[in-house]
Amino acid sequence: LLPRFRVLGPDAMEGNWNPKDFRKRLGKRNLSIKAALLDQGLVSGIGNIYSDEILFKSKIHPLVKARALTDKHLYAIIRNSRIILRKAIAHRGSSMNDYRDLKGEKGSYMIFARAYRRMGKICKTCRKAKIERVKIGSRSSYFCPACQT
C-alpha cells in the first residue's frame, strides 16, 4: 500500500467500517458528525453532498458531536452511507456543473437529494420545515430542523 493511502480510514462501502472502529479513530477529538464524515482519515469515500444526504436519512443534525452519538446512531449512519452511496453510483454521481462520467454523461443523483442545496425549500419528508444551511468548517451543510435533531 502506498504511504499516502495508509492514512485513509476504512472505505464507507466496505464491511470493515463499524461503530467500534469509528469511535477508536475519533479518539478524544471533538468533531461534529458532519466534519467526522468528511475526514478521510476517519472514513474514506464520503464527500460533502453525500454526507448531507446520509445525515438526513439518519435523522441526525450535522452539528451533533460525533463522540456523543450512540452505537444505534452510528449503525444508522453506516447503513445509510452504503444505501446513499450505492444509489449515487447507480445514478452516475451528482453532476452539479461540468462533471461527466467516463461515458461523457451527467450523473443524475441530485434528483433524489433531500437536503443538499435545498435551502429555503420545504422538506420533502415532513413537508413542514424549510431546509436550512449552516457552515461547518469551510463547508456548507444542509439539513431539516424538524427531521434532524
Side-chain angles (χ1 to χ4, degrees), residues 17-140:
W17 183 34
N18 61 68
K20 184 179 177 185
D21 180 60
F22 192 63
R23 283 191 197 289
K24 184 178 174 186
R25 287 177 173 279
L26 273 172
K28 296 193 184 287
R29 295 168 69 187
N30 195 29
L31 293 173
S32 70
I33 188 57
K34 167 75 173 199
L37 290 176
L38 293 176
D39 185 331
Q40 301 299 298
L42 295 174
V43 58
S44 61
I46 298 175
N48 197 44
I49 293 170
Y50 303 116
S51 63
D52 283 353
E53 296 301 303
I54 291 162
L55 292 173
F56 181 88
K57 188 167 181 66
S58 301
K59 299 179 180 180
I60 297 171
H61 194 286
L63 288 173
V64 170
K65 298 298 182 189
R67 67 182 186 185
L69 293 172
T70 65
D71 281 353
K72 183 179 175 182
H73 290 122
L74 294 178
Y75 277 114
I77 289 169
I78 291 167
R79 181 183 64 250
N80 291 326
S81 294
R82 293 176 182 141
I83 291 168
I84 296 289
L85 293 173
R86 275 191 215 108
K87 190 171 195 172
I89 291 166
H91 291 278
R92 298 183 320 277
S94 303
S95 296
M96 297 300 296
N97 297 316
D98 58 358
Y99 170 80
R100 299 289 186 274
D101 67 11
L102 292 174
K103 294 180 182 177
E105 297 175 19
K106 282 185 158 192
S108 61
Y109 176 81
M110 288 308 296
I111 64 173
F112 302 102
R114 306 298 263 183
Y116 186 77
R117 284 217 176 156
R118 297 197 69 249
M119 187 174 82
K121 295 179 180 171
I122 296 293
C123 175
K124 294 178 181 180
T125 300
C126 71
R127 301 188 191 281
K128 295 175 186 164
K130 290 184 179 180
I131 300 295
E132 295 182 8
R133 184 183 105 175
V134 64
K135 284 278 206 174
I136 300 173
S138 62
R139 307 305 296 265
S140 288

